[in-house]
Amino acid sequence: MVSGRVLANGWRCFLLATCVVLCACSGDSHVQVLRIGHSLDTAHPVHKAMEYMAVQLADLSQGSLRLDIYPSGQLGNERELIELLQIGSLDMTKVSASPLEAFVPAMGVFNIPYVFRDEQHYQAVLDGEIGQQLLASPKEARLLGLGYYDAGARSFYTVDQPLDAPQDLQGLKIRVQESATAMRMVSALGGAPTPIAWGELYTALQQGVVDGAENNPPSFYLSGHYEVCQYYVLDEHTAVPDVLLIGIDSWSRLSQQQRRWLQQAVDESVVFQRSLWREQTEQALAAVEAAGVTVVRPDKHAFQQQVASLHAAYEGSLMGDLIVAINQVAPDAP
């Protein structure tokens, strides 16, 4: 018997193939098209940055390279988009580092709580040697990282339970991404981690399948989850970047010049997205407060103490060595 997931994946592959044929038939045969899919709304800073990237790529290549964007989960959730890249049915995607952990274990370091001292330290790691090494690490999974979009700090939000301290999480079902490290983090705080696809979360919160979730302010606002959840708790436990990926098959089809154009377009879109992200974070917090959400600013030190055992558990491992290296990065590192 064919599973629903297999049928769904087959339908998405058919849809994508149809789009490719139509594009090829209707466009200039000299234009090479790269298709990028993501799961976010078109109002999200990530989508706007991709639109910016498409403009830059067209300009740099004088119209010989075109980026077609498929937003809002049209082609599947993040795990499915990664799999489409691996088999060559999609060229590029943006995924959170959390589900990428299942394909590239080193990416799990971003799901360890309070690894970064502050935003400056976080950006220094991404833009420095460690961040670049992590971008190259998915090659064994037939993927290549091209850059990081800012996804801010992730914090908890709940339907009707205020969280002033870690013990308030006791017994609460908290939605997490498909990440073993994220599940361990919520468990260490006393919650019950519950993996649910992003597109299904609004209904899950509404129907009481989960008591809360965790994400950054723009995603909390743009997803409409603030309509269901009364509390947003700025504990900022993790800083998990979005990673721009291209499939190895798609990368190998590009000439050296085309690769340079694409990388430059990505780099310019990263600068654009980070600026937009800062603006939308402030706007999102103001908007949800205006809508009646209580924004809680707890004592982060209490949360840090609660998960200290997680850091200790990694000592002597490759992940532990990565944490040590991250700790040694200076805030003003390039």
Side-chain angles (χ1 to χ4, degrees):
M1 182 175 179
V2 180
S3 70
R5 175 169 176 155
V6 171
L7 286 172
N9 284 343
W11 171 249
R12 291 188 183 100
C13 288
F14 171 77
L15 174 62
L16 184 55
T18 302
C19 290
V20 172
V21 170
L22 290 174
C23 288
C25 291
S26 62
D28 188 332
S29 60
H30 296 295
V31 176
Q32 187 165 344
V33 178
L34 293 172
R35 303 139 300 152
I36 184 168
H38 67 88
S39 61
L40 299 171
D41 186 89
T42 54
H44 198 281
V46 161
H47 181 79
K48 293 181 179 180
M50 288 181 181
E51 290 180 321
Y52 183 84
M53 187 201 312
V55 172
Q56 301 308 111
L57 184 60
D59 182 58
L60 289 166
S61 68
Q62 297 184 330
S64 64
L65 275 178
R66 190 178 83 218
L67 187 67
D68 286 353
I69 309 168
Y70 299 86
S72 305
Q74 292 178 36
L75 303 178
N77 61 37
E78 292 200 332
R79 184 181 182 91
E80 290 164 341
L81 290 170
I82 293 171
E83 292 170 347
L84 287 175
L85 258 64
Q86 289 180 311
I87 63 175
S89 294
L90 182 66
D91 300 304
M92 297 175 63
T93 189
K94 183 290 307 174
V95 297
S96 169
S98 288
L100 189 54
E101 176 188 348
F103 301 84
V104 187
M107 288 290 178
V109 72
F110 293 112
N111 294 298
I112 300 173
Y114 303 109
V115 167
F116 304 103
R117 295 186 289 275
D118 50 36
E119 183 180 354
Q120 290 72 31
H121 181 220
Y122 167 65
Q123 294 295 350
V125 171
L126 291 187
D127 296 338
E129 183 179 353
I130 294 174
Q132 296 311 301
Q133 288 175 347
L134 287 171
L135 282 180
S137 62
K139 282 186 178 179
E140 292 184 4
R142 301 192 58 73
L143 306 165
L144 178 64
L146 296 177
Y148 297 103
Y149 280 162
D150 194 352
R154 298 177 73 93
S155 295
F156 291 110
Y157 52 92
T158 58
V159 175
D160 55 15
Q161 176 68 47
L163 302 178
D164 294 308
Q167 55 264 32
D168 295 331
L169 273 164
Q170 289 289 333
L172 296 186
K173 298 188 295 294
I174 301 296
R175 180 266 178 179
V176 294
Q177 298 185 84
E178 292 187 46
S179 158
T181 311
M183 294 181 70
R184 283 194 291 270
M185 181 264 295
V186 171
S187 294
L189 290 168
T194 309
I196 294 177
W198 178 247
E200 301 169 7
L201 181 52
Y202 187 102
T203 302
L205 290 163
Q206 198 173 42
Q207 296 180 350
V209 176
V210 289
D211 302 300
E214 48 90 49
N215 215 316
N216 51 61
S219 294
F220 176 57
Y221 175 57
L222 293 172
S223 64
H225 294 171
Y226 72 96
E227 299 168 351
V228 184
C229 296
Q230 298 181 39
Y231 298 96
Y232 188 82
V233 186
L234 278 169
D235 67 293
E236 299 182 320
H237 46 266
T238 53
V240 183
D242 284 334
V243 185
L244 280 164
L245 296 171
I246 187 169
I248 288 295
D249 288 345
S250 298
W251 183 253
S252 65
R253 287 195 295 270
L254 298 177
S255 68
Q256 291 297 323
Q257 180 60 69
Q258 289 174 324
R259 292 176 185 180
R260 286 192 290 270
W261 287 333
L262 178 58
Q263 187 63 65
Q264 184 175 340
V266 167
D267 293 345
E268 292 177 6
S269 77
V270 164
V271 175
F272 177 81
Q273 190 270 345
R274 290 181 181 180
S275 174
L276 194 61
W277 182 264
R278 287 191 291 272
E279 294 175 9
Q280 292 214 0
T281 296
E282 295 174 2
Q283 294 169 2
L285 285 173
V288 298
E289 284 192 285
V293 173
T294 299
V295 176
V296 181
R297 292 171 172 80
D299 176 12
K300 292 183 188 178
H301 184 64
F303 285 85
Q304 291 169 340
Q305 286 185 314
Q306 186 71 20
V307 297
S309 60
L310 279 182
H311 286 231
Y314 287 110
E315 289 181 6
S317 69
L318 289 176
M319 191 68 75
D321 293 342
L322 188 52
I323 293 172
V324 170
I326 287 173
N327 286 337
Q328 293 173 347
V329 173
D332 58 349

